[in-house]
Amino acid sequence: MNQTRRNFINGIVHEALWGAGIGFFLPMTILPMALVDLGQSVSVVGFLNGLFSGGITFPQVFSALALPPRFSHPKTLAWLHTPIIMGPLVAGLAFALLPLDAREARVLFLFAGFTLFALGCGVVIPHWVAMIGRCIPERIRGRYLGAAFFSNGLCGAGTSWLASRWVAQGGMDWGYPLCFLLTVPLFITSVLILSRLKPIFPAPQAPPPGAHWKSFNLMNRKLMEPGPFRVGLILTILMILATAPGNLFTAYLCNVGKVETFWLQLFSPATALGAMVGAFVLGWLVDQYGLRKAFTAAFFAGLVSLIM
């Protein structure tokens, strides 16, 4: 078995285990349910999702430009996952050890753990992308990402269904602590598999001096010029704003809709299954028709879902 095939298989196993862990700590379903059960309002749930969006977005530029290229090596990148793993550990230990009437303290530790998780994701993402570029050849990269995220969503759908079921049965007594703490060994195993990937291509070059300001000035110039960059950025912002109410859907179902637990058990895996199918189809479209046509199709699919 050549190294490309080993990297392909290990990468898919890594994503499958990572998705299984995410299913127990899903920011769109399980965490909003925890906040609702702790007596928090829908606005607090909205703040949680805003924290997630900001946490995975803003650190990426600084991480990509400040950390050296050696973090694109799988073994070094594995250590960079430490804050992400600490997030559910902090939340899980707080829910397991604090008394049931310490609601405010549980909310505080949940936000603390989730902040670690979100910021850690933001730091890791650019170096994870560079690692994929070093370990997976370009000719199969779209296929790999589609298959990897498919396995991620498939395992996440299974564990998110389990999480919803355990939360309905155990609640604050053992349901939430079990879900959060089970995330930790799944994440650790996933990262250990990630460290088994071996680079085929050299590391990217280090950013030149003053890269922060040069990148900022380049983005400003691109925004001032009519063209696909400005149109794409505007459309992306509009799509994010339009999909923002979906982040509150779980809280709405629990608080306002008074939906039965059975339906919430279906809603959690449906979220992961949608991501799974979308990733697989998008990866296939990228390989077959290129980035522009694939993302155009994805954008219009998103618009159709919003209309429905």
Side-chain angles (χ1 to χ4, degrees):
M1 184 185 298
N2 61 32
Q3 192 57 52
T4 298
R5 186 176 177 84
R6 289 194 193 97
N7 287 349
F8 195 100
I9 294 173
N10 284 332
I12 291 177
V13 175
H14 152 68
E15 280 296 333
L17 291 168
W18 193 261
I22 289 290
F24 288 122
F25 203 66
L26 201 61
M28 282 78 72
T29 53
I30 300 302
L31 299 186
M33 288 169 66
L35 288 174
V36 170
D37 286 347
L38 288 169
Q40 300 301 307
S41 65
V42 176
S43 61
V44 176
V45 176
F47 179 74
L48 178 80
N49 285 281
L51 181 65
F52 180 66
S53 300
I56 67 171
T57 302
F58 293 113
Q60 289 190 39
V61 175
F62 301 100
S63 173
L65 298 177
L67 296 180
R70 70 172 182 270
F71 283 97
S72 64
H73 193 286
K75 292 187 183 299
T76 313
L77 179 63
W79 287 104
L80 204 60
H81 284 74
T82 302
I84 304 177
I85 298 171
M86 291 296 296
L89 179 63
V90 168
L93 288 176
F95 273 64
L97 300 177
L98 289 173
L100 291 177
D101 57 353
R103 291 193 166 200
E104 292 78 8
R106 289 184 176 219
V107 172
L108 179 64
F109 276 100
L110 179 60
F111 270 98
F114 188 67
T115 301
L116 278 173
F117 172 79
L119 292 175
C121 288
V123 171
V124 163
I125 285 173
H127 302 284
W128 181 84
V129 172
M131 183 273 300
I132 294 298
R134 294 185 64 184
C135 297
I136 303 296
E138 184 178 1
R139 69 180 187 278
I140 61 169
R141 203 168 293 157
R143 204 177 317 153
Y144 165 78
L145 290 172
F149 290 133
F150 182 90
S151 64
N152 182 299
L154 181 63
C155 292
T159 54
S160 62
W161 177 80
L162 276 177
S164 300
R165 188 176 180 84
W166 291 343
V167 163
Q169 294 174 351
M172 293 293 168
D173 291 324
W174 59 267
Y176 288 112
L178 178 62
C179 291
F180 297 164
L181 290 175
L182 272 179
T183 303
V184 178
L186 287 168
F187 277 180
I188 291 175
T189 309
S190 173
V191 170
L192 289 175
I193 298 295
L194 171 69
S195 67
R196 294 178 59 84
L197 274 70
K198 294 183 179 179
I200 301 172
F201 306 104
Q205 294 182 353
H212 292 82
W213 290 111
K214 290 178 182 178
S215 300
F216 182 74
N217 292 330
L218 176 63
M219 186 180 70
N220 281 341
R221 286 200 303 271
K222 288 289 186 182
L223 286 175
M224 295 299 105
E225 299 172 0
F229 181 84
R230 185 164 69 178
V231 173
L233 184 62
I234 292 172
L235 290 175
T236 301
I237 292 173
L238 289 175
M239 177 66 77
I240 292 173
L241 290 174
T243 56
N247 295 326
L248 305 176
F249 194 45
T250 302
Y252 173 82
L253 291 176
C254 294
N255 263 350
V256 182
K258 305 298 180 184
V259 175
E260 295 180 5
T261 305
F262 171 78
W263 294 108
L264 288 174
Q265 292 176 12
L266 295 179
F267 178 64
S268 291
T271 304
L273 282 171
M276 172 191 73
V277 175
F280 184 80
V281 173
L282 184 61
W284 181 81
L285 288 173
V286 168
D287 275 351
Q288 297 295 321
Y289 300 103
L291 279 172
R292 178 172 294 185
K293 291 182 179 179
F295 279 98
T296 300
F299 181 82
F300 281 106
L303 286 180
V304 170
S305 70
L306 291 175
I307 293 171
M308 294 177 64

